[in-house]
Amino acid sequence: MQSSLPLVLDRTAGPPLHLQLAEQFRAAIRDGRLQAGHRLPSTRDLAKDLAVSRSVAQAAYDQLHAEGWIEGRTGAGTFVTDVAPLQPAVRRRREPRPDQDAGLLTLRPGIPYISPTPDPGWRRAWREVSAQSPPRGYDDAAGLPALREALAEHVGRVRGIACGPENVLVTNGTVHGLRLLLSVTLPPGERIAIEDPGYLNAVVAARDHRLEIIDVPVDEDGLQVSSLTECAAVYVTPSHQYPLGGRLPVARRNELVRWARRTGTMLIEDDYDSEFRYDVAPLPALAQLDLDRVVHLGTLSKTLSPSLRLGWLVAADTMIDRLATFRGDSGDWPGWPMQAALLTMLRDGYLDQVIRRNRRLYAERRLHTCTVLAPYGQVIGQDAGLHITLLLPEYVDDREVAAAARDAGVVIAPLSEYRRTTSGPPGLVIGYATPSTPDLHKALTILTTVLNRLNPR
């Protein structure tokens, strides 16, 4: 019996002959040229027709039989099985996230300015990495020892935390460090206090770990310690409350630590943008008061780039050991190339250079932003960070303002987006770091036009 299919084998290139033959039979069955029950030629006849060895034909049939495309019937031959053709899946185009809409200017908070041209310090760090051989075997789950030592020196120098490399664990950023900490220390059902309004990703992390969230109000100085109730942990942004911008004064910091010692509560300090202060030097970290009670989270997201996914966690050495053991089992830690590059950036002073340069840039942009928006409400939180908050009159709907701004080409965050149970005035959380300076000016012009329309003075 001769095959009725136009089978062609390429002897000069491509996969082995038996795999080419098997694929051509598969294609014929898929598109209906070979129907269920169709009898195939014997391996002898097929080999003769194609001028190949019988072993090639047999190997092709063996492959098809193993996959279920054909079956042998004793004394009758080889037949196509009843395989219903599977239509190719129709992949629907994913809708872009709002912040990724083409053509929009973003004033969302928390994203630094990144020059389109890599500077010498950045290139030097990656050249050094490329000249090294990767480690043999797996890295230390807590992070590269040399990097942990450099980070300990860094946080001691710029954040006032007395620590050594045994107190440092390298993370994939603040949220990663927070999730790791919650996984190891807080079983489901435990209570965690979080600022309200506050950082929504911290709320999501707590919910994902099935923790009971206690919403704690904030004022112009930050977290209201007097409002705390019994809980296992408190998440706090003491150096620049997110998003209102208050800084926890010394008296309230001491009160918080005393309360934590008395109740046995863990304090989780998110130190997300403390490098950028414009009125005084960066405030000392809460962790300097009691490293046994405070876990300090740092990140590169506001200094170099959020997409680096790199940060650090500073805590008592016993806590670091617990976290590293857990992570050693899960295999979840930053890769060697990124850690090695950060080590070079720290040793060369590149990170300090970027912070100094951007502090000057952001100070100018902050002044311009505050000057432009001051007539439209009360500007708060302007002494630090990468954003300010504009409090609007009570009758203004901040979500309506944000929607109108988006329609006009500017992405902006309404303050009500950060509130959960506490009440307060409407407002806008405005990041001034991300766009270029001309784009920032353009975006603010658009925003003021929207505010003039919705909030006439």
Side-chain angles (χ1 to χ4, degrees):
M1 173 181 182
Q2 287 191 333
S3 169
S4 58
L5 298 175
L7 302 172
V8 179
L9 301 180
D10 184 353
R11 291 171 170 78
T12 61
L17 295 181
H18 74 282
L19 294 182
Q20 294 183 41
L21 183 56
E23 177 51 34
Q24 292 184 54
F25 274 116
R26 286 192 205 95
I29 297 171
R30 288 193 198 99
D31 62 25
R33 285 176 290 153
L34 289 179
Q35 301 286 331
H38 186 102
R39 184 183 177 190
L40 300 182
S42 67
T43 56
R44 185 187 302 277
D45 290 340
L46 185 61
K48 182 178 180 181
D49 289 346
L50 298 176
V52 296
S53 67
R54 188 177 177 185
S55 64
V56 170
Q58 186 63 57
Y61 277 12
D62 289 346
Q63 183 68 35
L64 293 168
H65 183 270
E67 295 175 10
W69 295 97
I70 63 176
E71 62 182 357
R73 300 176 188 171
T74 304
T78 302
F79 297 83
V80 176
T81 59
D82 187 8
V83 180
L86 181 64
Q87 298 300 319
V90 178
R91 300 189 67 184
R92 289 184 291 181
R93 184 175 180 270
R94 183 178 179 180
E95 291 298 320
R97 289 175 51 189
D99 289 2
Q100 296 173 332
D101 289 352
L104 293 182
L105 300 172
T106 182
L107 294 179
R108 296 283 296 193
I111 306 173
Y113 174 72
I114 301 172
S115 172
T117 305
D119 59 29
W122 176 264
R123 293 195 298 267
R124 183 170 59 249
W126 289 102
R127 280 199 305 270
E128 184 165 324
V129 172
S130 67
Q132 303 176 49
S133 297
R136 297 179 180 179
Y138 291 99
D139 301 333
D140 188 321
L144 296 181
L147 176 57
R148 295 170 67 194
E149 185 173 350
L151 284 170
E153 186 279 330
H154 175 76
V155 298
R157 175 169 51 86
V158 304
R159 305 302 297 120
I161 305 175
C163 66
E166 69 279 3
N167 300 115
V168 178
L169 181 134
V170 184
T171 69
N172 287 117
T174 297
V175 175
H176 174 257
L178 175 61
R179 287 180 174 272
L180 176 64
L181 183 66
L182 297 182
S183 297
V184 172
T185 61
L186 300 185
E190 284 280 18
R191 292 157 56 95
I192 181 171
I194 300 179
E195 299 162 327
D196 184 14
Y199 186 39
L200 296 182
N201 284 346
V203 176
V204 172
R207 286 175 178 163
D208 287 348
H209 285 82
R210 293 178 291 165
L211 302 176
E212 181 183 349
I213 298 173
I214 309 300
D215 297 314
V216 183
V218 300
D219 57 24
E220 64 275 9
D221 287 329
L223 179 82
Q224 295 182 8
V225 179
S226 60
S227 298
L228 287 171
T229 58
E230 181 183 353
C231 57
V234 176
Y235 170 88
V236 60
T237 53
S239 293
H240 189 220
Q241 198 281 325
Y242 190 84
L244 298 183
R247 55 183 178 187
L248 210 61
V250 171
R252 196 176 289 190
R253 288 174 181 235
N254 292 342
E255 180 187 3
L256 177 59
V257 172
R258 281 195 295 267
W259 179 86
R261 287 172 176 172
R262 185 174 67 252
T263 60
T265 304
M266 175 175 63
L267 302 179
I268 306 171
E269 175 184 28
D270 185 345
D271 201 47
Y272 67 100
D273 67 359
S274 61
E275 298 89 350
F276 300 108
R277 285 211 73 88
Y278 311 111
D279 54 347
V280 295
L283 304 180
L286 185 67
Q288 73 157 345
L289 298 177
D290 191 338
L291 199 55
D292 289 327
R293 187 54 55 195
V294 182
V295 176
H296 175 91
L297 299 174
T299 180
L300 292 178
S301 294
K302 309 301 183 287
T303 51
L304 294 180
S305 169
S307 60
L308 293 181
R309 312 311 307 150
L310 206 59
W312 50 88
L313 182 153
V314 183
D317 54 359
T318 52
M319 176 67 76
I320 297 298
D321 290 342
R322 290 177 63 190
L323 297 173
T325 298
F326 177 85
R327 207 159 67 166
D329 295 334
S330 65
D332 177 25
W333 62 83
W336 167 78
M338 189 60 69
Q339 293 192 59
L342 176 56
L343 176 58
T344 297
M345 295 176 197
L346 288 167
R347 284 177 171 172
D348 288 358
Y350 174 67
L351 181 59
D352 291 336
Q353 174 191 332
V354 170
I355 291 172
R356 287 194 301 270
R357 181 182 65 207
N358 285 351
R359 190 182 291 135
R360 292 191 296 269
L361 173 67
Y362 298 155
E364 295 172 359
R365 294 184 176 185
R366 173 198 66 124
L367 178 60
H368 177 74
T369 302
C370 292
T371 302
V372 170
L373 295 179
Y376 298 91
Q378 180 186 359
V379 176
I380 62 173
Q382 69 268 37
D383 293 332
L386 310 182
H387 73 272
I388 58 97
T389 298
L390 177 68
L391 300 182
L392 298 170
E394 292 288 351
Y395 58 83
V396 176
D397 185 334
D398 57 11
R399 293 182 185 271
E400 182 183 356
V401 175
R406 172 178 288 281
D407 291 341
V410 175
V411 179
I412 199 163
L415 178 57
S416 57
E417 184 178 280
Y418 299 89
R419 296 191 187 279
R420 300 184 299 281
T421 60
T422 60
S423 60
L428 301 173
V429 183
I430 301 165
Y432 48 77
T434 310
S436 65
T437 298
D439 281 347
L440 173 64
H441 291 193
K442 180 179 178 182
L444 290 173
T445 299
I446 294 172
L447 177 58
T448 54
T449 301
V450 170
L451 287 170
N452 280 324
R453 187 171 74 247
L454 298 179
N455 178 24
R457 289 169 286 165

